[in-house]
Each structure stands twice: as structure tokens, then as C-alpha cells.
Amino acid sequence: MAKDKTIYTCTSCGGTNAKWLGKCPHCEEWNTLIEGIEEGGSSGKNRYSSAKSLAPASEVSVLSQIEAQDVDRTPTGIEELDRVLGGGIVPAGVVLIGGDPGIGKSTLLLQALDAVQRRGGHTLYVTGEESGAQVAMRARRLGLEQSGVSVLAETQLEKIIATLETQTPSIAVIDSIQTVYSEQLSSAPGSVSQVRECAAHLTRLAKTSGISIILVGHVTKEGALAGPRVLEHMVDTVLYFEGETHSSFRLVRAIKNRFGAVNEIGVFAMTEKGLKGVSNPSAIFLSQHSEPVPGSCVMVTLEGSRPLLVEIQALVDQSGPSPRRLSVGLDKDRLAMLLAVLHRHAGVACMDQDVFVNAVGGVRISEPAADLAVLLSIQSSLRGKALPKGFIAFGEIGLAGEVRPAPRGQERLKEAAKLGFSIAVIPKANAPKKKIEGLTVHAVERVDEAMNLVREALF
Ligand code: TYD
Ligand code: MG
């Protein structure tokens, strides 16, 4: 069989070419050719027709007759990580873990490998970013100087695969996939074609050998996962690290999981000795004001299975000729929409004001249940009046000015009451049937109702 050679495939029409061209010769689209490897030297089309004639037809099964199997998992022993993984690492499973540089990916994975090794697993840490000595230094800092984890400092894919095949660890970490390159491709390490090709080879190896592989991926400065995003469909589980590097709290969120629930989160605190799980995290995203301040409203968000109390802050200020809308940790487009609803349906205008909103602690809130808290904090800042002590709110707001229910409202209210909150403004459909001890609940149907209630009764 001929040696594998580089080929360029058009992402638009699927046509192939032996050379890279700016314009696809088949469909005439620009900048669509990407580098790949042609196996066995035959073109895509011929490969298909020859495969058709060589392979016998496969048997198919009826769904009801296939025996469903529970996946068996190896818990890492790090509880918060196991929670996001859905109970542990699955044999032959491939996990992608992304996040900003310096957020703690290498730290967490070294701790996880050591924990698995201590429970009798065989683990391999492949480092492409640091030398073995640097990894050892980190291990010392984490108090893992006696660790039995094997370390390989290597970036060439072929050598990594050969080592994995001979060592056959139960779990291997590749830190990071952007540093790995294949000799077969001429493009630079870290380029999209290198990252994709290397990840595809490693995924195939995981499936054939039963080794669980964890790929580390960096997020670029712009916040896009240049490398990792293209890998999300290949892997079984995708985890992302969130949090501000200057605060010690870190969230690990599952955004795809073939073996467990998505949107589950693990909460950690970065300490002098690595990441420590925070088992009761509901109050960590509240800032400590001794007295209530204007522009602050606490909401209860439900991340995975646990409710979290998060403070939403708003600052509304006289603007120049073009008012600015800025949001950190919340959707920017949604902010513009909410301001329009606030104006049309509640008569609160911010047209000549800059509006800044922030979810405290670097947490990202994607659920619309934050809407009501965002608008109440904006109104509070605009009027310069603080919401009462012990106040919480949640609820989605629609374009018609209605306040829609949030999923699992009771759980949210109970958590707030448990943490000593005493007044809640919530959607009517979330109103509890039985009184919750210590909590006065105001249920509202419309956004103007919520704004008036807070303005007249509570300020
Ligand atoms: P690291 O795991 O290297 O991040 P990533 O692999 O995601 O780039 O984390 C490095 C940061 O964590 C660095 O700023 C130092 C800090 N750190 C601690 O605070 N405590 C520790 O025990 C360790 C090992 C790191
Ligand atoms: Mg690292």
C-alpha cells in the first residue's frame, strides 16, 4: 500500500486537491481547503468504491434486542471532578478539558492522576508544555513528591501513541493537545489541522485500546476555543474551567457528556496546595457587603443539581453620545433585550445611560432565570436605592413583559431560605404551595408589577 500523504479537502464541497490553493478548484469557494492525511494514497471517491466491493455487509440489530449495559466508571477520588464526569472516568472514554491559561487544568489533572494511581490504577501524564522537572516541581508543591504517576515529556504524536501502546495505562492525560504534532502533516503544531488530526488518532487509540484519555485544550485570548472547539464533536465529554484567575474559586462545567448529565458543575478553590473541592458552594458567589448597596441583587441559579446564590451587580451612569451596554458573565444581547422590555413594559428608561452588569466571582450564567435580578439591580442602581437586606429574585422575562417561571423554583427558594434570605420576588408560577419558613414570597406575573412592587413596597 502506498504511504499516507497529505491531501487538502474542501470544507464546502468535499472535493480534494494535492496542493493547498486559495480557491477550491471544484466549487470555486475561497479559503475552504484544509490539510488532512490521505490513507493508502487513494482518493476519497476511489476509497469508497473499493471499500464497497471489498467489505461484506455487516449485520444490524433491532434496538429492543440489544442489551443495555451500565458503563463502568473509575472514580478519580476527587469528588467534585467525579461529579462533573457523571461518577468517574469511563474506560476508553475521551474527555476534553478546556480553559484559560493558568486557571488550573494541569494542577487538577495531576492531582486526579495521583489519586487514581493511589487507588491502584496505572496512569501516564504526557506533558508537551513543561519539562519533567517542572512537572515534578508542581507535584512537590501539591505534596505529591512520592507520586507513582508516570511522566512523558513528548510532543510528537507517533511517539506518544507508541508509548501509550507499550505502557497501556488505564488513564492518560495529554497536556496539551495544541502542543502535539504529527510528522505526517506539514502544518505547524497548534494549527487546526494538526490539532484535529492528532485528537482523531488519540480518540481512535482510546476506543481500540480501552485507555481513557484526557485532552487538555487552551482557550485563545479572544475567548474562542480555536483548537478545542473543533474537537468537541469527537470526544465523549467536554469540560470547561470557569472563574477569574484573581479569585480563588474555579468552576468546572460539563457542557457535553455521553456518560452523564450536562451542566453539572464541580466547584474548587485554588489553594497553596492545589485545588480543593468545595462541597457546599451555594454562598461563594456573594460579595460581603455589611449593608445592602444600590445596584446589587442576589439571584438563585441552578447549576446542574445544586442551587447557587449569585450576586448580580449593575451600574447605571450618565453616558456620552453613544450609551454603552456591557455585561460580564451574562449574555450581552440579552441585556439589550431586557433594557428594551424594561422601557416598553415598565416605563424605566436607560436610553441616555451607560449600563454595566456583572455576575460576581467570574461565574457565567447562561440561564434566562437571571433576567429579573438583572432588571431589579439596574432599577436599583438607576434610583440609587439599595434593595432590602436578605432579598433575592429570579425569573425569566419575555418580550411581552411577562415573568416566566424558572425550572425547579422550590429548590431555589429553599436554598435561599436556608442561607438566611427573607424576601423573594419570583414568577407567579413558581409560588410555593406551602409556606417556606422564614421567607416572604412575592409572586409576580409582569415585569412592571415586579418593578412597582419593589419601588413602592420595599425600597
Ligand atoms: P495550572 O494548573 O498551571 O494552569 P493551566 O494548566 O490551566 O494553565 O495553574 C497554574 C496556576 O495555579 C498558577 O497561577 C499558580 C496556581 N497554583 C496555586 O495557586 N497553587 C498550587 O498548588 C499550584 C500547583 C498552582
Ligand atoms: Mg498547564
Side-chain angles (χ1 to χ4, degrees):
M1 200 177 263
K3 191 181 171 314
D4 290 352
K5 64 172 189 187
T6 309
I7 190 146
Y8 296 87
T9 310
C10 174
T11 51
S12 173
C13 72
T16 55
N17 208 53
K19 281 199 308 238
W20 189 85
L21 294 171
K23 183 158 111 177
C24 171
H26 307 283
C27 67
E28 311 208 321
E29 285 285 328
W30 285 91
N31 292 326
T32 53
L33 292 190
I34 52 159
E35 189 181 15
I37 296 171
E38 185 188 31
E39 286 169 39
S42 60
S43 83
K45 221 169 175 181
N46 290 343
R47 205 193 310 165
Y48 176 66
S49 54
S50 60
K52 201 163 136 190
S53 56
L54 285 177
S58 305
E59 249 180 60
V60 297
S61 318
V62 177
L63 189 54
S64 61
Q65 280 159 12
I66 303 173
E67 214 172 305
Q69 274 179 339
D70 273 342
V71 273
D72 103 64
R73 304 162 193 276
T74 318
T76 59
I78 296 182
E79 209 176 298
E80 291 294 305
L81 181 61
D82 288 337
R83 173 194 290 278
V84 266
L85 287 169
I89 293 181
V90 175
V94 182
V95 178
L96 172 68
I97 179 157
D100 291 334
I103 199 149
K105 301 181 294 295
S106 306
T107 305
L108 178 64
L109 293 175
L110 196 58
Q111 287 180 281
L113 286 193
D114 180 72
V116 171
Q117 185 82 28
R118 249 185 258 196
R119 291 161 156 242
H122 174 30
T123 59
L124 178 65
Y125 182 83
V126 181
T127 167
E129 308 211 323
E130 296 163 310
S131 63
Q134 282 170 310
V135 176
M137 212 149 72
R138 187 199 307 271
R140 198 148 308 145
R141 185 168 174 191
L142 296 171
L144 310 176
E145 48 278 88
Q146 301 301 324
S147 177
V149 174
S150 310
V151 177
L152 168 71
E154 182 57 69
T155 51
Q156 195 192 322
L157 177 75
E158 288 73 17
K159 288 189 188 156
I160 293 172
I161 288 188
T163 313
L164 285 172
E165 278 169 344
T166 45
Q167 294 280 324
T168 59
S170 51
I171 300 176
V173 167
I174 312 290
D175 190 1
S176 67
I177 187 68
Q178 274 111 337
T179 55
V180 179
Y181 73 98
S182 165
E183 289 266 279
Q184 311 246 18
L185 297 182
S186 53
S187 51
S191 65
V192 172
S193 41
Q194 281 282 9
V195 168
R196 188 163 39 193
E197 201 66 33
C198 293
H201 272 97
L202 289 164
T203 305
R204 223 167 300 147
L205 176 73
K207 301 299 164 200
T208 52
S209 65
I211 302 173
S212 312
I213 295 184
I214 304 179
L215 305 173
V216 176
H218 286 295
V219 183
T220 61
K221 276 233 170 60
E222 297 77 44
L225 279 161
R229 264 281 136 85
V230 302
L231 307 180
E232 284 177 1
H233 68 278
M234 275 185 214
V235 300
D236 300 307
T237 305
V238 180
L239 307 183
Y240 281 112
F241 252 104
E242 285 174 19
E244 289 164 359
T245 27
H246 53 261
S247 110
S248 65
F249 291 112
R250 304 279 184 274
L251 295 187
V252 179
R253 192 188 297 266
I255 64 152
K256 162 180 172 177
N257 196 351
R258 289 187 181 144
F259 308 115
V262 286
N263 257 331
E264 192 60 86
I265 59 168
V267 185
F268 296 93
M270 181 63 95
T271 68
E272 269 307 296
K273 283 185 169 287
L275 288 160
K276 294 239 155 49
V278 178
S279 52
N280 192 4
S282 53
I284 62 174
F285 294 106
L286 299 178
S287 43
Q288 309 296 330
H289 306 294
S290 50
E291 282 303 313
V293 293
S296 155
C297 180
V298 176
M299 76 160 296
V300 194
T301 175
L302 249 183
E303 297 290 350
S305 52
R306 292 180 298 186
L308 273 183
L309 280 98
V310 179
E311 180 182 338
I312 307 290
Q313 294 186 334
L315 181 69
V316 180
D317 191 25
Q318 198 79 41
S319 82
S322 54
R324 299 178 52 182
R325 276 87 183 85
L326 198 94
S327 65
V328 180
L330 293 148
D331 188 358
K332 185 162 165 282
D333 296 332
R334 202 158 178 95
L335 173 62
M337 188 199 93
L338 288 173
L339 288 172
V341 175
L342 187 65
H343 179 224
R344 281 299 300 275
H345 295 286
V348 180
C350 301
M351 262 91 80
D352 53 353
Q353 308 281 332
D354 288 332
V355 179
F356 306 99
V357 294
N358 175 31
V360 169
V363 63
R364 259 170 243 159
I365 301 176
S366 49
E367 64 163 1
D371 293 352
L372 192 55
V374 169
L375 289 189
L376 287 170
S377 64
I378 289 172
Q379 179 180 248
S380 161
S381 174
L382 190 64
R383 295 173 54 88
K385 294 249 172 91
L387 289 160
K389 210 174 177 132
F391 182 91
I392 62 133
F394 60 82
E396 177 181 349
I397 289 173
L399 285 180
E402 79 278 22
V403 179
R404 297 205 201 115
R408 292 155 64 194
Q410 303 303 300
E411 265 174 73
R412 298 181 199 239
L413 290 172
K414 282 191 184 137
E415 188 69 23
K418 202 170 96 189
L419 290 167
F421 285 81
S422 53
I423 309 168
V425 173
I426 59 160
K428 190 144 230 160
N430 284 133
K433 291 193 185 65
K434 265 202 338 231
K435 184 169 164 36
I436 296 172
E437 192 61 40
L439 194 67
T440 311
V441 174
H442 299 273
V444 294
E445 266 177 305
R446 309 220 17 108
V447 62
D448 48 329
E449 203 184 324
M451 295 299 143
N452 293 339
L453 173 87
V454 169
R455 205 161 41 213
E456 287 156 17
L458 303 178
F459 274 145

